[in-house]
Structures are given as structure tokens and as C-alpha cells.
């Protein structure tokens, strides 16, 4: 009788593959395909709160499953490209509306819609060589935030104050960590550090880009005189972190020119984020990651017109 101790049963292997895809879907929020990064990201979600972790997993699973049933590209599924928008959408729902069976159902349905919008965005934007990024999440979460308000619209935060904003050492530390954490709506500084560690596992360049994007965002927000409490909470910096990862560590070949280009883009995303907050908040909306999406699209689209090493449009396709 042949030995079976070393064999892997098909069902067990399928479960392992599904687990890796799920983790990659979470990692792809920060443009990574590493399941280890996804695992550390998941730890960060649960470190901030079990509800956030649960809804992040639920949204990613719903989006991935819907894409699989609808016949999405298998290679993209394996890389987790169908899960990250659903993950962010699930988290945004529980943060805004709380945890209940109704919001869990909304998270599942919204995740499925993300899969459809992701396919549409990929088809339309692929013709001009631009990635969909988190646009499907922004569309779905934005519609839900406006259509299902939980409270009267608040007054928009002030865009700028008088002079330069000064932060204490503790506020600077919180701002640096929360700029990374707010990518996933996380507001505990140690969750941001876990996310940064997850990036480091996948790529030192990506982790360095995220850290630099956070520093640039703090400097820009302070120079603009934006409110100290919002800077410290990471509300002006998370888009800069994503922009830096996208341009310096993902879509463009890293050179001194592209590093400077990414810094410029991260810098530009800060006033864009502040303006979008002022525009969206009175109606109950949020910028979500729109400043990251639009800034990255514009800087990638401009790359072919700039004759510098590494600024290659082909790299973005």
C-alpha cells in the first residue's frame, strides 16, 4: 500500500490556495501580491478592532468570489487583484455604519459590485495603459456614504490656518504611523507600524516609499497650516503614502528622477486631499482614496511627455 503521509489532499490544497488569494487581495490595497504582506495587514486590521478585521476579510472574499463566478481573469484572481477594493469597501461600511447582519449583507453585495466595476474600469482604462487602482472602491463607498447617511452632514474642516502648524514629538510620531494606518481606516498608531512591517516583508523599496510619503505629507500639511489634530490622525497623509508606493515602487522604474517625481506627486496629493475633504464633507461624503487615484493617473499619464530615465509609460501597463 503506498504511503500517503507526504501527499497533499486536493481539498486541503484548494483551501490553501484560496487562503493565499484572500491574503493577496488584502495586500493589493498597498499594491503588493505577497501573501505574507497580506497576513501582516490582516493582523493590523484585527489589532485595530475585530470588526474591522472581520469586515475587511468579508469584503475581500465577496469581491473575489463574485469575480470568480463572473469569469474574471484567473491570473488576476491568483494575484489578489479582485479582492482589495472589496476589502476597503467592507471596512468603510463597518467604520461608518457599525457591525450588524444588515451591514454584513451590504458589505457582501458591495464587494460583488466592486468586482463588476473593477472589470469595467480595467477594460476602459487598460486602453490607455492606466491601472484601475482603488477607483471601484471609491465609487461604491462614495455612493453608500451619501445614500445611507448616519448623521447630519458636518461642517467642512478648515483648509488652512494662520502660519505653520507645529506638532509635538508625540503628534509627529502618531502622524507618521497613522498616515500609513489610514489607508485601511485604522487610527491606532501601532496598526500603522504593522502595516509598514508588512510592506517591508514584500519590498524594502515599497516600505521606504511609504515612509517617505508619510514624511512628505506631514511636512506639506504643516506648511499649509492644516489642523494639528487632523494631521496627527493621518487624515491628510494616507493618499500621499499610496501615491509614493505607486510611483516609486510599482509603476515606474526607480531612478533618482522617478524618486523625485514620486515625492512631487505625494506633495501634490496633500492639498488635493484637504480640498476634497472640504468639498465632500458637507454632503456626508469623504475623499476616500480619490486623491491617490487621480494624482497617480495624472502623473502616470504625464510620464511619456517627460524625457527622463525611468519615466516610462510602458512600465505602467
Amino acid at each position: 500500500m503506498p504511503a500517503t503521509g507526504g501527499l497533499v489532499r486536493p481539498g486541503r490544497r484548494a483551501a490553501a490556495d484560496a487562503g493565499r488569494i484572500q491574503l493577496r487581495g488584502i495586500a493589493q490595497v498597498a499594491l503588493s501580491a505577497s501573501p505574507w504582506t497580506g497576513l501582516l495587514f490582516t493582523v493590523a486590521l484585527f489589532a485595530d478592532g475585530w470588526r474591522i478585521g472581520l469586515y475587511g476579510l468579508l469584503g475581500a472574499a465577496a469581491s473575489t468570489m463574485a469575480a470568480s463566478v463572473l469569469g474574471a481573469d484567473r491570473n488576476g484572481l491568483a494575484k489578489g487583484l479582485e479582492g482589495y477594493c472589496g476589502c476597503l469597501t467592507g471596512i468603510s461600511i463597518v467604520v461608518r455604519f457599525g457591525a450588524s447582519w444588515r451591514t454584513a449583507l451590504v458589505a457582501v453585495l458591495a464587494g460583488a459590485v466592486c468586482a463588476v466595476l473593477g472589470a469595467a474600469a480595467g477594460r476602459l482604462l487598460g486602453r490607455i495603459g492606466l491601472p484601475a487602482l482603488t477607483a471601484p472602491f471609491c465609487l461604491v463607498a462614495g455612493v453608500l456614504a451619501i445614500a445611507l447617511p448616519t448623521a447630519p452632514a458636518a461642517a467642512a474642516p478648515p483648509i488652512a490656518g494662520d502660519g505653520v502648524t507645529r506638532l509635538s514629538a508625540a503628534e509627529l510620531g502618531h502622524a507618521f504611523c497613522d498616515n500609513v494606518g489610514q489607508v485601511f481606516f485604522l487610527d491606532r498608531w501601532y496598526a500603522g507600524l504593522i502595516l509598514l512591517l508588512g510592506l517591508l516583508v514584500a519590498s524594502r523599496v515599497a516600505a521606504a516609499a511609504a515612509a517617505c510619503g508619510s514624511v512628505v505629507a506631514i511636512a506639506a500639511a504643516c506648511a499649509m497650516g492644516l489642523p494639528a489634530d487632523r494631521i496627527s490622525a493621518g487624515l491628510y497623509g494616507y493618499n500621499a503614502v499610496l501615491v509614493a508606493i505607486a510611483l516609486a515602487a510599482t509603476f515606474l522604474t526607480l531612478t533618482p528622477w522617478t524618486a523625485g517625481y514620486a515625492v512631487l506627486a505625494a506633495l501634490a496629493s496633500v492639498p488635493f486631499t484637504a480640498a476634497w475633504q472640504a468639498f465632500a464633507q458637507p454632503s456626508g461624503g469623504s475623499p476616500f482614496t480619490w486623491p491617490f487615484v487621480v494624482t497617480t493617473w495624472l502623473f502616470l499619464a504625464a510620464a511619456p511627455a517627460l524625457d527622463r530615465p525611468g519615466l516610462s509609460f510602458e512600465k505602467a501597463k
Side-chain angles (χ1 to χ4, degrees), residues 169-214:
E171 288 173 327
L172 284 171
H174 278 277
F176 177 81
C177 297
D178 286 345
N179 283 341
V180 182
Q182 284 293 344
V183 169
F184 284 93
F185 302 90
L186 308 182
D187 55 10
R188 288 179 169 81
W189 63 269
Y190 50 82
L193 282 184
I194 298 172
L195 293 176
L196 200 57
L197 178 60
L199 282 172
L200 185 60
V201 167
S203 166
R204 287 178 293 179
V205 174
C212 289
S214 181

Side-chain angles (χ1 to χ4, degrees), residues 231-247:
I231 296 174
S232 181
L235 298 179
Y236 297 117
Y238 65 96
N239 285 296
V241 168
L242 288 172
V243 167
I245 295 171
L247 294 180

Side-chain angles (χ1 to χ4, degrees), residues 94-280:
V94 73
V95 167
R96 185 175 181 87
F97 305 110
S100 69
W101 70 266
R102 292 181 180 85
T103 56
L105 179 60
V106 171
V108 169
L109 295 176
V113 172
C114 281
V116 177
L117 293 184
R123 183 174 180 83
L124 294 174
L125 293 169
R127 296 174 181 175
I128 56 174
L130 293 178
L133 302 175
T134 54
F137 149 66
C138 292
L139 287 170
V140 174
V143 167
L144 290 175
I146 296 173
L148 304 173
T150 58
I159 288 189
D162 296 327
V164 175
T165 301
R166 288 176 171 79
L167 302 178
S168 66
E171 288 173 327
L172 284 171
H174 278 277
F176 177 81
C177 297
D178 286 345
N179 283 341
V180 182
Q182 284 293 344
V183 169
F184 284 93
F185 302 90
L186 308 182
D187 55 10
R188 288 179 169 81
W189 63 269
Y190 50 82
L193 282 184
I194 298 172
L195 293 176
L196 200 57
L197 178 60
L199 282 172
L200 185 60
V201 167
S203 166
R204 287 178 293 179
V205 174
C212 289
S214 181
V215 171
V216 167
I218 293 170
C222 288
M224 291 173 61
L226 295 172
D229 59 333
R230 298 179 70 83
I231 296 174
S232 181
L235 298 179
Y236 297 117
Y238 65 96
N239 285 296
V241 168
L242 288 172
V243 167
I245 295 171
L247 294 180
T250 307
F251 296 114
L252 299 177
T253 303
L254 184 61
T255 68
W257 283 106
T258 54
Y261 196 61
V263 168
L264 179 62
L267 187 65
S269 72
V270 177
F272 195 6
T273 300
W276 205 302
Q277 286 179 353
F279 173 77

